[in-house]
Amino acid sequence: MSRSRDAVHEILRQSAAFRSAQDIFTEMRADGSKIGLTTIYRALQALNDDGRVDVLRTDDGEAVYRACATSAHHHHLVCRGCGLTVEVDGPDVEVWAERVGAEHGFTAITHTVEVFGTCGACAKG
Amino acid sequence: MSRSRDAVHEILRQSAAFRSAQDIFTEMRADGSKIGLTTIYRALQALNDDGRVDVLRTDDGEAVYRACATSAHHHHLVCRGCGLTVEVDGPDVEVWAERVGAEHGFTAITHTVEVFGTCGACAKG
DNA sequence: CAGAAAATGAAAATGATTGTCAAAACGGTT
DNA sequence: AACCGTTTTGACAATCATTTTCATTTTCTG
């Protein structure tokens, strides 16, 4: 898995937004690629396993992917309008999650945090 | 929509965990109910519209529901093992989310925060 | 270049969720 | 209780994202 995986990765690198598999498929086909949807799913899965892309679920359950600049733990600030995404970190939130978990006797704490909003550009147009 | 909606609501009230539609369906049928899966989906949707149940997506995209004690904004601490869920709040997180959004020129900030862990009971075995 | 192993794409299978529609339950009215 | 219009219900079909299957193509290695 190399040719296609790199192509998919490249598409994601060129986008600041989270993209769905279908979305990527449509763009690549429009660009003349003969890639199949199956291959895109496989590539996204592999890239995610390698920690090279982040994945999250939209409200309607669709998986969307994004190439992250860092493989370190981070969160996302996502524009509801255009999907523009900024990577952010929140040390306070990490601490809070650990504390809340511990207070209730939970161990092996993890958490998901996503912030949504309307970006400056979308607020105008 | 009343008979069935109440029955579904009651099932959720009796459970501290997030439950899937299929899951609820199986339990109700086991209890002798003749309810259909379609009706359960409709009931869950209505209950969610009324703010009487919370919904979130599992990692594999399945929607799971839970009756929440409060209709006020809150977060969840969920056990990965048994699904046991505790409602928690995090004033600091709310503030952090607003600030992070504002720093990047985003408005109309919302956020999703879920904390996962292993509860005391599941940690034993 | 041969031949094995990995990758690819088309099409079928899966699984959750939603739409359709006729039958059943309900409510109010005589 | 019988009547009638409205709402709710459940079986089944349809949809949509994702996964699996499998034969073909490409890549790698010797």
Side-chain angles (χ1 to χ4, degrees), chain B residues 66-87:
Chain B
R66 180 174 188 276
C68 41
T70 171
S71 59
H73 177 76
H74 63 275
H75 303 295
H76 300 107
L77 171 59
V78 184
C79 174
R80 266 186 300 268
C82 62
L84 171 70
T85 299
V86 180
E87 293 169 29

Side-chain angles (χ1 to χ4, degrees), chain A residues 1 4 35-36 39 42:
Chain A
M1 190 177 293
S4 302
I35 198 169
T39 304
R42 277 190 287 238

